[in-house]
Amino acid sequence: MFSEDQLAFLTFLMRPIRGREGAPPGRRSVVCSEGCNSVREWRLVVDQLAQHIEDGSAEVAGLLSILSETVYPLNGLGAEDITRFLVGVVEHVPLSDSSLCITVCSLLHTILKLHPIVLNSTHLTGVFPWINHVVQEYPCAEIVYAALTKLVHAIDGQLADHIVSVFFKTLRPHMHNEDITSVSVYALQILPELVVKTPSSSKFLVDSIYPMAFKQFVSWSTSIFSHPWHCATFSALLILLKTIIMELKSAHRSDAQVLLQTLKSLLFIGTLDTLATDSCNELWNPNPGIEEFGECDMYGAWEIRCNALRCIEAVATTTPNIFYAYWTTFLPTCSLPLSLPGNKGNGMYHSLACDPCGKVRISAASALSTIITSMKPFMVAITSPVNTQRASFTPFSQNLSANIHSLHTILFWILAHEPQPIVLCSLLKCASALASCTPYEKLGDQILSNFLQQLVTILVPIKQDSNSVTLTQAALSCIHAVLTSRKDSTKPTETQKSLLSPCELNLPVALLPSLLNLASSPDTSVCVEAMRVIGTLPNASFSTFWRYFEEICVQVVQKLNSLEPGVRLTAVKTVEESFKAAALVTSSPGVQTQILQYWLSSTVFTACFMDALPVVRSTSISCLGHITSPGYFTLSNSAQQVFKDMCLVLSRDSNASVKTNLCKTVGSCWEFLIFDESFVHTCISFLIPALQPKSPLVTRTKACWALANLSAIVVKNSHELPSTLSSLQLRNDLVAVLSCLVSAGSDHEKVQSSAIRGIGSLLRFFPTTILGSDSNPDSLRSRALTTLVSAVYSSPFPKVQWNASYVLGTLLAANCVENSLDLVYHGLVHAMSSNPNLKTKISAVTALASPQRRELYGGSFETVLKAVHGQLAAETAPISTEQEAFNFQIYQYKQTLLQQLQDAFVHLVQLSTSSDIAPGTLTDLDYDVGMQVLATRTPSPPSAVMDQWRSLCGKGS
C-alpha cells in the first residue's frame, strides 16, 4: 500500500503546474518548470502505479481518477511510452473491481481523446481484449463505450470482425428495448466504423447485424413520431443501415419494399402532418432557403431526413434493379408548381424543392444524382417520340420516356426557384448527371434547347466575384455536360457534314457572349471551365462556332500565351476540337481550309509544340491527327511544311505521352504522306524504336498500329508507286518494318493485333525474291508465316486469333503462300474445329473458303473438305445445354457460323474433282449430312454441285 507521504507526493506530481504552489515540505526541489523533468516525474508515477496496481486499492483508483482528469505529464512522452503504460495498467486491473475498471476506462478515454497519436501505436492491440471483457462484465457503463469510440479508429479488419460479434451479443438486449438507452446511442456511433472494417464476406454481418439494424429501423420509425427527442439516435441508426448496405453491396430483396416505403415516409418527418407535438413541428416556408443555412428544427429531424436520403442513395447504388421498381414512388409525375410538403405524393421532389433545410435539399440533390447515374443502363429502352395516344397497354419504354420528360420538367422548375447558391450548386451537379445519362437522340433536341435556356438564365445574372466562383463553375460544368450529351452527333454522317446541319443544337443567343466574357475571368478555374465549354461548340453547333470564330480565336490565342499550365492545356484542347469539326465539314472546303490554315499559320499555336508541359505538346500533336487527306491538299505549301516540321520536331521528344500521340497522328496521316519518301523514312526511323519492349504498352500499341496502317497504305497505293521497289531506301525501310512486326507478334494482345494486320499487308506486297522463299525456315517470309500460324494455334486472345485467321485467308486468296500450305491449312482447320470463340471460328471458315482455284489448296484439299463437313455435322446437332439454348449471342453467332460453313462446303464441292476423296472414305452418314445441307441451303446450289457430292461419296450421278 502507499504510505500517506507517497500518496500525497504522487497526487501532487499529477497536478497541473499552476497547482504546485502547495507542494509538501521537502519536496519543492523536485518541482521544476515544464520540460524534461515532467517526463521524469511521469515515469516515477508510472513506476509507483505499476508496483501497486494489482492491489486494487482505493488509493490506486484515486490516483487513476486524478490522472484521467489531469494528464499534463503525458505531454512529455511519446506514443510508445503512453501505450506501454496503458497496456501495463489493463493487464493488472482485476475485472472484479468495478470501480477500478470504470476508472481505467475513463483514463483510457481521456488519454485517447487528448493524445490521438497513441492510436498509431502497434502496441495498442493489447488493450482490445481487456475492453471486450469489460464490455461483457459491465454492459451498462457508458464510459466503457465512450472509450471504445476512441479505439475504433485503430482496429484492423480481423479484430473488427471479432469485436463486432462480441459487441453485438452484449448490446442486443439494449437495442431491443423500446426505450433508447445511452448504451445503444454509443453502439450506433461505433458500429458503422466497425462494419466498414469488417470483411464484406462476414456471415455474421449478413445474418446478425443487418437483421438487427433493419428490425430496429422498422420499430423505431413508428415510435419516433411520438418521441421526437430520439431523433439523433434514430439518425445514427440510419447511418448504420446505410453503411451496412454499402458494405454488403446489396439491399435484401425481401426487405426492399418495407425499407423503401419507410424511407419515403421519413422524408416528411418534422413537417406539419408527421410529428404529434406542435412544439417540434417545422413550419413550412413557402420560399425555401431564405432562412439561415443549418439546423432547422429543435430535435434534429433534419438529420433523419438527410440520412434517409443517404439510405435511398445507397440502395440505388448497390441494387439499381431493385430500386427501379420504385422509381415512380420517389420520382412521380407531378404537376407544377409542386404542392406543400403535406402531400407525400411528391416523393423526393418535396425534399428537393420544399424542404426548409438547405442541408436536406443538398442531400436530396446528391441522392437524385446517384439515382440517375445508377438508372443509366435502363435508359437505353427509351423510345422516340413519346406516344401520347391512349392505349389499353402502356409499354415499359413509353413509361420510362414519360418519367424522364417529367424529371427534366420538374428539375428545370426547381432550378428556377432555388435561391440559395450552395444548394443551387448541388442541383446543377444533379442536372449534369441527368444530361450525361439521358439518350437525347431518342427524346429530341427540343428538351436540350430548353435545358440550355434554363442554364443560361442561371449563368448570366451571376455577379462575378469571389463568392460566386463555385456557382459559376457548376453552371459551366452543367452546360458542358449538356453540349457533350449527344455522343452520336460527332459521327461524320452525311447529314452532319453540311455547314448548317439540322442536327445542330439551337443555342440561346446569350450563351456565347457570356462564355467569351467568362473566358476573360481573372479566376483561373472559371476561365478553364468557360474554355472547356467553348471547346464543345464545334461539334454541338458548328454554325454558332463559325459565327464567333474570330472572337473565339482571339480568346484562344490569349490563353495559349498564359503562364498557367491548365489554361494553356484547355486552349490547346479547344484548338483540337476545331480541327475535329473541320474534318467533318466536307461540303464547305473553304471553311475547312480557313480553320486549318489559320492555326497552322499561327506562331502562337506552333509554339505549343515546344511547350515545357508535356501534356500541351502531346495535345498539340493530336490536333494534326484530325487533318484529312482532302483538307491537307487544300493547304498552302507553307502550312503543309509546318505539319511535317512539327512531326519531325516531336519525333525527338523523350516523353512517353508525346511519343504515343505522335505515333497516332502519323498513323492516321499516311494516306497523304506516303508519297513523301524522306518523311516516311524519318517516321519509320522513329516508329521502330517506339515498338521496342522498353517502351510503355500504350506507346507500343500506337506505334504498331501506325506501322500496320503504313503497310495497308503501301498495298493500297502500290499501283501508284512504280518506283517503290527500285528505291533501295524505301525497300529497306519496309523490310525493317516487317521484321519489327514479326518480333511484335509475341507482344501484348493490343500490339499483336496490329502486328498481324501489318504482316499480312507486307507479305502480299513483297515478292518472294526480296523476302525469300517460305521453304527456307530462316527467311523473313517463313518467319512471318510462322508468326501468323502460331497466333491461330496458341494465342489466348480471340481478337488476335480472328485477325490471324483473316490475314491467312487473304494470303491464300492472293496466292502468297507457296511451300507452307499444309502448315497454314492445318492452323485454320484447328481454329475452326477446336477454338471455343465463335467469331474466330467464322473467320477461320471464311479463310478456308477464300481460295478460288483448286490448285491453291495443294495437297490439303481433302483435309479441308472433311474438316468443313465434320464441323457442319457438329454445328447442326441439337444444342446440348439449356444455357446455350437461351443465350441470344451464341444463337446469333451460331447462325452466322452455320451459314459460313454451308457456303464453304458448297464452294469446296464445286472445286473438287473425283480424285480428291479416296473411295470409301465418306460414309452413308456423311453423305446424308452433305445432302441435307445442300438441300436446305438458301439459295439452292446448282444441281451440278449435288451431283458432284454424290460422285465423291460413291453414290453415282
Side-chain angles (χ1 to χ4, degrees):
M1 289 294 181
F2 289 118
S3 66
E4 184 177 350
D5 189 41
Q6 286 177 322
L7 184 61
F9 178 59
L10 292 175
T11 303
F12 163 75
L13 286 181
M14 290 187 293
R15 290 179 183 175
I17 288 179
R18 63 178 179 271
R20 292 191 176 186
E21 288 78 5
R27 299 292 185 179
R28 293 184 185 274
S29 60
V30 183
V31 180
C32 301
S33 60
E34 185 177 3
C36 61
N37 281 339
S38 62
V39 178
R40 187 181 63 181
E41 294 169 2
W42 168 250
R43 294 193 186 279
L44 179 60
V45 175
V46 170
D47 292 340
Q48 293 295 326
L49 287 174
Q51 294 176 16
H52 299 279
I53 193 69
E54 295 181 0
D55 296 341
S57 63
E59 290 87 354
V60 173
L63 289 174
L64 291 175
S65 178
I66 295 174
L67 193 60
S68 68
E69 297 173 0
T70 59
V71 293
Y72 157 72
L74 289 175
N75 291 330
L77 294 176
E80 295 300 322
D81 290 320
I82 300 174
T83 307
R84 194 177 300 109
F85 167 71
L86 291 176
V87 175
V89 169
V90 300
E91 284 179 349
H92 297 94
V93 173
L95 291 175
S96 58
D97 191 334
S98 60
S99 176
L100 192 57
C101 286
I102 299 303
T103 302
V104 171
C105 285
S106 177
L107 172 64
L108 185 64
H109 175 264
T110 304
I111 291 177
L112 294 176
K113 180 179 179 180
L114 298 179
H115 301 274
I117 190 175
V118 176
L119 294 172
N120 298 326
S121 173
T122 56
H123 301 291
L124 194 60
T125 53
V127 178
F128 295 130
W130 182 80
I131 281 286
N132 278 336
H133 290 301
V134 174
V135 167
Q136 297 179 64
E137 289 290 332
Y138 308 103
C140 297
E142 294 182 26
I143 194 63
V144 175
Y145 302 100
L148 193 55
T149 59
K150 302 300 178 184
L151 280 169
V152 70
H153 303 290
I155 297 176
D156 60 14
Q158 184 177 1
L159 189 59
D161 201 11
H162 171 67
I163 291 180
V164 165
S165 64
V166 174
F167 205 39
F168 173 77
K169 294 174 184 177
T170 304
L171 293 180
R172 183 164 46 188
H174 298 272
M175 297 295 290
H176 287 177
N177 289 339
E178 204 56 44
D179 293 331
I180 300 176
T181 65
S182 57
V183 172
S184 59
V185 173
Y186 277 115
L188 292 172
Q189 292 176 359
I190 299 170
L191 278 174
E193 287 198 56
L194 290 175
V195 166
V196 170
K197 297 184 178 184
T198 301
S200 58
S201 59
S202 171
K203 192 173 184 296
F204 183 80
L205 187 65
V206 178
D207 296 341
S208 300
I209 298 296
Y210 180 80
M212 179 201 74
F214 181 76
K215 183 177 180 180
Q216 290 305 119
F217 165 72
V218 175
S219 173
W220 288 356
S221 63
T222 57
S223 63
I224 194 65
F225 299 105
S226 56
H227 300 86
W229 47 87
H230 291 162
C231 283
T233 306
F234 186 58
S235 183
L237 177 62
L238 288 171
I239 294 175
L240 173 61
L241 193 63
K242 173 248 182 185
T243 305
I244 293 173
I245 292 173
M246 292 300 294
E247 289 303 308
L248 293 178
K249 296 181 175 58
S250 172
H252 286 209
R253 190 179 296 272
S254 58
D255 302 333
Q257 182 176 1
V258 176
L259 175 65
L260 292 173
Q261 290 291 353
T262 307
L263 288 172
K264 180 189 174 184
S265 67
L266 293 176
L267 299 181
F268 302 88
I269 190 169
T271 53
L272 291 173
D273 64 339
T274 54
L275 292 182
T277 308
D278 291 339
S279 61
C280 59
N281 284 343
E282 293 178 0
L283 296 178
W284 178 74
N285 188 345
N287 186 18
I290 63 172
E291 75 284 351
E292 184 73 17
F293 184 75
E295 293 80 0
C296 303
D297 61 284
M298 59 188 300
Y299 289 107
W302 68 272
E303 290 186 348
I304 292 181
R305 300 197 298 274
C306 280
N307 288 318
L309 287 164
R310 294 183 183 118
C311 283
I312 294 170
E313 187 176 359
V315 175
T317 300
T318 56
T319 49
N321 55 332
I322 292 179
F323 185 84
Y324 182 76
Y326 301 90
W327 172 286
T328 54
T329 301
F330 292 94
L331 302 172
T333 302
C334 305
S335 57
L336 295 175
L338 295 176
S339 58
L340 298 180
N343 183 3
K344 296 185 179 181
N346 290 343
M348 282 182 59
Y349 293 137
H350 159 258
S351 302
L352 278 169
C354 302
D355 198 291
C357 180
K359 291 182 179 179
V360 177
R361 299 202 296 278
I362 289 176
S363 296
S366 174
L368 181 57
S369 178
T370 301
I371 289 171
I372 292 170
T373 304
S374 61
M375 294 297 110
K376 183 177 181 179
F378 297 93
M379 294 189 186
V380 296
I382 291 178
T383 57
S384 175
V386 178
N387 185 10
T388 57
Q389 295 182 355
R390 300 188 63 181
S392 58
F393 172 74
T394 304
F396 164 79
S397 58
Q398 186 173 331
N399 278 331
L400 184 58
S401 300
N403 289 336
I404 298 300
H405 270 281
S406 175
L407 177 57
H408 279 80
T409 303
I410 294 173
L411 188 57
F412 294 164
W413 186 87
I414 295 174
L415 284 169
H417 290 80
E418 176 56 61
Q420 249 185 8
I422 190 171
V423 181
L424 189 57
C425 286
S426 297
L427 289 171
L428 287 170
K429 292 177 182 177
C430 178
S432 298
L434 181 61
S436 301
C437 297
T438 305
Y440 290 105
E441 64 275 7
K442 297 181 179 181
L443 296 178
D445 286 342
Q446 184 57 46
I447 191 170
L448 272 180
S449 298
N450 295 340
F451 209 150
L452 286 171
Q453 187 62 52
Q454 184 66 50
L455 294 174
V456 169
T457 59
I458 295 173
L459 179 66
V460 173
I462 297 177
K463 295 181 180 179
Q464 295 306 312
D465 53 35
S466 58
N467 298 324
S468 63
V469 170
T470 304
L471 181 59
T472 304
Q473 282 183 287
L476 290 172
S477 296
C478 191
I479 293 174
H480 182 273
V482 172
L483 293 177
T484 57
S485 60
R486 294 190 314 166
K487 297 177 177 60
D488 289 345
S489 64
T490 58
K491 295 181 179 179
T493 60
E494 290 300 323
T495 307
Q496 295 164 352
K497 288 180 180 179
S498 61
L499 179 59
L500 298 175
S501 169
C503 295
E504 289 189 342
L505 283 177
N506 183 19
L507 301 185
V509 177
L511 178 59
L512 257 295
S514 298
L515 291 175
L516 293 171
N517 181 45
L518 291 172
S520 303
S521 172
D523 187 275
T524 302
S525 58
V526 172
C527 173
V528 168
E529 284 296 330
M531 291 301 299
R532 285 182 68 236
V533 177
I534 292 174
T536 64
L537 294 178
N539 284 323
S541 178
F542 186 84
S543 58
T544 305
F545 169 78
W546 183 245
R547 194 180 312 126
Y548 288 87
F549 181 71
E550 292 184 5
E551 294 89 335
I552 291 174
C553 288
V554 170
Q555 286 290 344
V556 172
V557 169
Q558 290 179 358
K559 302 305 176 289
L560 290 175
N561 284 319
S562 172
L563 297 178
E564 290 287 341
V567 175
R568 293 202 307 277
L569 177 60
T570 307
V572 174
K573 288 183 177 179
T574 304
V575 176
E576 183 179 11
E577 292 300 324
S578 67
F579 271 79
K580 289 181 184 178
L584 301 181
V585 189
T586 56
S587 62
S588 302
V591 173
Q592 182 184 43
T593 304
Q594 189 170 342
I595 294 175
L596 299 179
Q597 192 76 37
Y598 177 88
W599 291 118
L600 290 176
S601 303
S602 171
T603 56
V604 177
F605 173 65
T606 54
C608 294
F609 289 84
M610 280 73 76
D611 194 276
L613 200 66
V615 69
V616 173
R617 302 198 302 274
S618 177
T619 308
S620 300
I621 196 63
S622 294
C623 297
L624 304 185
H626 301 293
I627 298 178
T628 61
S629 181
Y632 178 82
F633 288 115
T634 60
L635 296 174
S636 64
N637 292 334
S638 59
Q640 293 180 5
Q641 190 59 44
V642 168
F643 178 97
K644 297 176 184 178
D645 290 343
M646 294 303 102
C647 291
L648 297 178
V649 166
L650 291 184
S651 66
R652 297 185 290 272
D653 200 301
S654 59
N655 183 267
S657 176
V658 176
K659 285 184 178 180
T660 302
N661 279 357
L662 178 58
C663 292
K664 182 180 178 182
T665 296
V666 171
S668 61
C669 299
W670 290 124
E671 188 172 356
F672 53 84
L673 296 175
I674 189 64
F675 299 98
D676 190 332
E677 188 173 320
S678 175
F679 183 81
V680 171
H681 171 74
T682 304
C683 290
I684 291 175
S685 302
F686 156 74
L687 291 170
I688 290 179
L691 193 50
Q692 299 307 310
K694 63 181 180 181
S695 299
L697 174 60
V698 63
T699 304
R700 301 200 309 272
T701 301
K702 291 302 179 184
C704 196
W705 176 80
L707 291 176
N709 286 359
L710 170 64
S711 306
I713 292 296
V714 166
V715 174
K716 178 181 177 182
N717 295 277
S718 57
H719 60 286
E720 298 180 14
L721 298 171
S723 62
T724 297
L725 295 182
S726 61
S727 172
L728 183 60
Q729 180 181 351
L730 183 57
R731 184 179 66 182
N732 291 339
D733 285 341
L734 293 177
V735 170
V737 167
L738 178 57
S739 179
C740 184
L741 292 175
V742 170
S743 300
S746 57
D747 204 327
H748 188 271
E749 170 194 8
K750 295 180 179 179
V751 181
Q752 276 185 285
S753 298
S754 296
I756 286 170
R757 184 165 58 90
I759 290 172
S761 297
L762 291 178
L763 285 179
R764 282 184 290 143
F765 176 76
F766 280 117
T768 307
T769 54
I770 294 179
L771 299 181
S773 173
D774 53 354
S775 60
N776 180 8
D778 296 327
S779 67
L780 185 54
R781 179 178 291 274
S782 178
R783 290 193 290 116
L785 286 173
T786 303
T787 299
L788 296 177
V789 176
S790 297
V792 172
Y793 265 111
S794 57
S795 176
F797 307 113
K799 184 177 180 180
V800 175
Q801 294 172 328
W802 185 93
N803 274 350
S805 299
Y806 173 81
V807 166
L808 288 174
T810 60
L811 293 176
L812 291 172
N815 193 20
C816 294
V817 182
E818 297 176 354
N819 301 302
S820 302
L821 287 175
D822 291 344
L823 178 67
V824 172
Y825 282 117
H826 277 83
L828 292 173
V829 167
H830 172 80
M832 176 187 68
S833 307
S834 305
N835 198 295
N837 187 275
L838 296 184
K839 295 177 75 174
T840 302
K841 285 178 178 285
I842 294 171
S843 179
V845 173
T846 305
L848 288 171
S850 58
Q852 299 300 308
R853 303 194 309 275
R854 166 62 185 82
E855 58 269 21
L856 296 180
Y857 286 92
S860 301
F861 186 84
E862 181 179 358
T863 301
V864 173
L865 179 57
K866 288 182 178 180
V868 171
H869 177 272
Q871 193 64 28
L872 259 175
E875 296 298 333
T876 53
I879 298 177
S880 57
T881 65
E882 183 179 352
Q883 180 181 5
E884 288 184 345
F886 290 93
N887 189 319
F888 174 75
Q889 282 192 340
I890 290 180
Y891 172 78
Q892 181 188 30
Y893 288 133
K894 274 189 175 294
Q895 290 299 104
T896 305
L897 175 60
L898 186 59
Q899 184 66 43
Q900 292 292 333
L901 284 169
Q902 291 176 348
D903 294 344
F905 180 69
V906 171
H907 174 70
L908 291 169
V909 171
Q910 284 179 319
L911 295 181
S912 65
T913 62
S914 57
S915 61
D916 284 327
I917 302 294
T921 302
L922 297 174
T923 64
D924 291 342
L925 180 60
D926 295 332
Y927 170 75
D928 293 338
V929 171
M931 291 302 295
Q932 182 181 2
V933 169
L934 295 174
T936 57
R937 180 178 180 271
T938 304
S940 299
S943 58
V945 176
M946 304 185 74
D947 293 339
Q948 181 65 16
W949 178 244
R950 293 190 187 97
S951 175
L952 291 174
C953 295
K955 300 296 183 181
S957 59

